[in-house]
Structure formats: C-alpha cells, structure tokens
Amino acid sequence: MSVKVLSPSKAYEQIESMFGSEIIHPEEVSEIDIIKTGSPSLDRALAVGGWPRGRMIQLAGKEASGKTFLSMKAIADWQAIDPENCACFIDAEYTYDPKWAESIGVDNDRVILVKTNEAAKIVTGLIGTVKTNKQSGKTVITPGILEMAAEGKTITKKTLTGRVLEFNLAKLGIVVIDSIAAMVTPVEIESAVGKQNIALTARFLANELKKLTPYISDSNVAFFVINQVRVNVGQMFGNPESNPGGKSLKHACSVMVNVAPLGGKDNQIFDDKDERIGHKIRAKIAKNKVGAAFKNADFTLKFDEGIVDVNEELLELYKHLDLVKRPNNRTYIFGNHTLTSKADAQKFVSLNFNYLEEVLRRNYILDEEISFEGLIGIDDIPLASDKDVIETATISDVDELF
C-alpha cells in the first residue's frame, strides 16, 4: 500500500479548503498587549507588565479588598493613553458611583454603563443573538458589543453626564462585570420566591463561557469578572472558601487574582482622628496563563485616593531584585547617581518613575540588562537631607519639582 505524502504547502491548501482560511494562523505570536495595574509590584507579579488584553481576568476577594477599585484603575489608565479609549462597565450590583470613579481618574463620558443583573441579557449583549422568524423564515442577527468591537463599529449612547456621544468600539479596551455573584440566571427569575436552587450560576456559565471566550480574544479587550467569596458549609479539611461560578469559570479565566487586606494594625492606615482610611493589600496570582502563577504583590490602598506610595513600592522592587547597589544601609546607587538616604532615593524615583518602571519591565519580560542611561539627577532640586517635606509624587509632579 503506497502512501502519498503532501508537501506542507499542499497540506495547508487542503486544510484551508476544508475548514476555511481562518482555521490556521501562520503569523508569528506577538507580544501581549497590556494595561498597567497602577502597582509596579502587581505588574511584575503578572509577568507581562500589567493586565493582559484579549483574556478573561477574575478579581476575587472579600468585601473592601479592592476588587472593583483595581478594575476601575485599569479603566482610568486605559483612558489616559488615548482620549478616545472607552470601556464597558456592566453593573450587576447596581452600585456604580460616578463621583468615586471620577476621583480615581475615570472619565465617565467614556464609560458605557450597563445596569442589569440578568445573566441572559448580559451574555447576549456581549456576543449578540441569532433569531429566526417562524412565519417569514428570515434570520435576524443582532451583533453584541464584543463583535462590534472586533469589527471596529461605532455606536451612539447617552452618557452618565447626559451627553449623547459616539463610541468608536475599536477603542474598547476593557469590559467589567461587577459581579458574577450578583448575576441572576433565567431559572432563578422564573422560580418561586424562597425556592432553593443549587449551582444555577455555575450551570449557566458552563454553557455560555464557551461562546464568550472567542469574542474576548477577537476584540482584544481585557475582560474583568469580579467575584465574591463563599464558604463551603461542612467542609472539614482544606480551604473552605470558594467563588461563585463553578469550575468552568476558573478554566475560562487566563488570570485569577485573589485580593485581601493584610491583617494587623501595622498594615492599616489611619488619619489624624484615628479613623481608618486605607490598608495594605496582598494580591495572590492564583492562575496565570501568560506567565508564572502563585506570585504575590503587596501595595498600599487608600479608600479615597487609590494606590499610594508607588515610588517606595518601585524602590523596594529594585532592592528586592538587587538592581540597585547598596554599599551600606543609607546609600542607593543607580548607575552614576548616588543617593544618601531613603527619602532622597524616593524623590529620585519620582523624577524617573516612567523610565525606571519601563527598565524594570523590560528586565523581567525580555531579560534585558539594566541600563540607567538617561536618568534625571536631583542635583538641581533640594534634597531630603535639607529637611524638605517629601511627598509621594506622581508623574505630573515632575515639572513642579524643577
């Protein structure tokens, strides 16, 4: 029996004729598009420098742990890149606060806000519907927002401020569902009040997530699902905590991050009146399909400001990775720049934050050697050793320091 062996080109043509031109993607795999988290340590823990686009990301944790904040911070950072960049926020908990979002840096005019907790409406709004009229036999296809984003279509919508604006969905970079636990399935809607239904959300998502993930990839959006924590009653061994949505949600997510406040009074922030205004957060990467999992990231969160002390956070990362020379406990050496106190080092980091953050990112992603050429010195500004008051500076503060 003779066997005919096809050449690679002929085999490719035959597969293409049988299954279509989109079945094989011969193009090279490019670097993953990301949106920064706002925390240098969390960017590094995610291994790619931020939240990956085109993937589903679960943010889970207890109350007041910063889940919604992290998604809102991602929206603010995405909008800051381009004034036309927009996001979609599906508010299944009916708790979206425009004033709080604005204080974080979110432009409410560039947010497509959807208020519904009906799971079927949420899914069909994302991926669209196909309906056939039984009388006429015509099929009506209604595209979802993710399909329209992949095709770069434009929609008109009334914003939270009452303005009617056009949204170019090619600029849609983030979709947030807040939260999975608040979604109501069709069976629950039709059930009698008080009737016990078991795992309805998990059963619903098991079918619908298979439809949803291809649209997320094609539209290249960072798709956040916020989730809560439940306790398995009667579990005697192991961690009794779990998240609504079942195992299918865990498999569908490319990244799973569990966030929780660190215990102890030392990790809490109080104001002059001894009222708690923030705390330190630990984010654990429970799953990561774009890098190594099971890494931790600690950052400081203030309720009315967001992530603070990013300069100190970046400096600690450089110390942890031995990327800055420390001949003694007081001295920090960045290339040709020598700082003689921690406060001076923080001011130096604030002046060069973008540069140092990019150098660090290229080091752990591309394994490039550290280069400190082009850093701004602090010779022309007062040093902390001159008893200046040092505050955590953002990038916009650089001009003010000169």
Side-chain angles (χ1 to χ4, degrees), residues 29 55 59 92:
V29 178
R55 308 295 180 103
L59 299 174

Side-chain angles (χ1 to χ4, degrees), residues 68-319:
T68 303
F69 166 78
L70 286 174
S71 67
M72 300 292 282
K73 176 61 176 172
I75 292 175
D77 287 350
W78 171 243
Q79 291 176 333
I81 297 172
D82 187 333
E84 290 190 6
N85 285 353
C86 59
C88 177
F89 194 96
I90 300 172
D91 186 19
E93 295 186 350
Y94 294 88
T95 55
Y96 186 91
D97 186 352
K99 290 184 179 179
W100 179 67
E102 188 176 355
S103 69
I104 296 171
V106 174
D107 180 3
N108 287 305
D109 279 342
R110 308 309 303 173
V111 175
I112 303 170
L113 181 63
V114 180
K115 284 184 173 287
T116 181
N117 65 351
E118 295 185 30
K121 284 185 177 180
I122 291 172
V123 173
T124 54
L126 290 169
I127 66 175
T129 58
V130 179
K131 294 182 179 180
T132 302
N133 191 314
K134 293 181 179 180
Q135 294 181 348
S136 63
K138 292 182 178 179
T139 301
V140 179
I141 301 175
T142 304
I145 192 169
L146 292 179
E147 184 178 350
M148 290 191 288
E151 296 175 356
K153 293 186 177 179
T154 302
I155 62 170
T156 302
K157 186 172 176 61
K158 190 174 184 180
T159 66
L160 289 170
T161 58
R163 301 170 62 192
V164 179
L165 298 176
E166 282 191 349
F167 289 84
N168 179 7
L169 293 183
K171 299 288 187 176
L172 181 69
I174 297 176
V175 175
V176 180
I177 298 180
D178 187 12
S179 65
I180 291 293
M183 290 169 57
V184 183
T185 63
V187 176
E188 289 176 287
I189 294 173
E190 297 171 1
S191 296
V193 175
K195 182 180 179 181
Q196 295 296 317
N197 296 299
I198 299 174
L200 291 182
T201 302
R203 293 175 184 176
F204 176 85
L205 290 177
N207 293 323
E208 303 306 323
L209 287 174
K210 292 180 287 188
K211 306 174 187 176
L212 188 59
T213 46
Y215 287 94
I216 295 173
S217 178
D218 291 343
S219 59
N220 199 32
V221 301
F223 193 93
F224 290 89
V225 290
I226 297 174
N227 217 337
Q228 299 174 4
V229 174
R230 298 289 185 267
V231 176
N232 297 324
V233 179
Q235 182 173 332
M236 301 296 294
F237 304 99
N239 184 7
E241 294 183 348
S242 63
N243 307 118
K247 294 187 180 298
S248 60
L249 180 60
K250 295 180 180 181
H251 289 292
C253 290
S254 292
V255 176
M256 294 173 58
V257 181
N258 297 328
V259 290
L262 291 172
K265 197 167 184 178
D266 292 342
N267 294 315
Q268 299 175 1
I269 304 172
F270 297 89
D271 62 7
D272 297 337
K273 299 179 181 178
D274 205 32
E275 292 183 354
R276 186 172 172 181
I277 58 173
H279 46 219
K280 288 189 176 180
I281 298 290
R282 173 161 293 168
K284 297 182 179 181
I285 313 301
K287 177 184 178 182
N288 193 356
K289 294 182 74 173
V290 296
F294 307 114
K295 292 184 178 180
N296 296 337
D298 296 346
F299 52 90
T300 305
L301 178 69
K302 284 188 177 180
F303 305 137
D304 57 347
E305 295 180 34
I307 298 175
V308 296
D309 299 335
V310 288
N311 298 323
E312 182 178 356
E313 189 180 330
L314 186 58
L315 182 61
E316 291 298 319
L317 266 179
Y318 267 82
K319 287 167 55 181

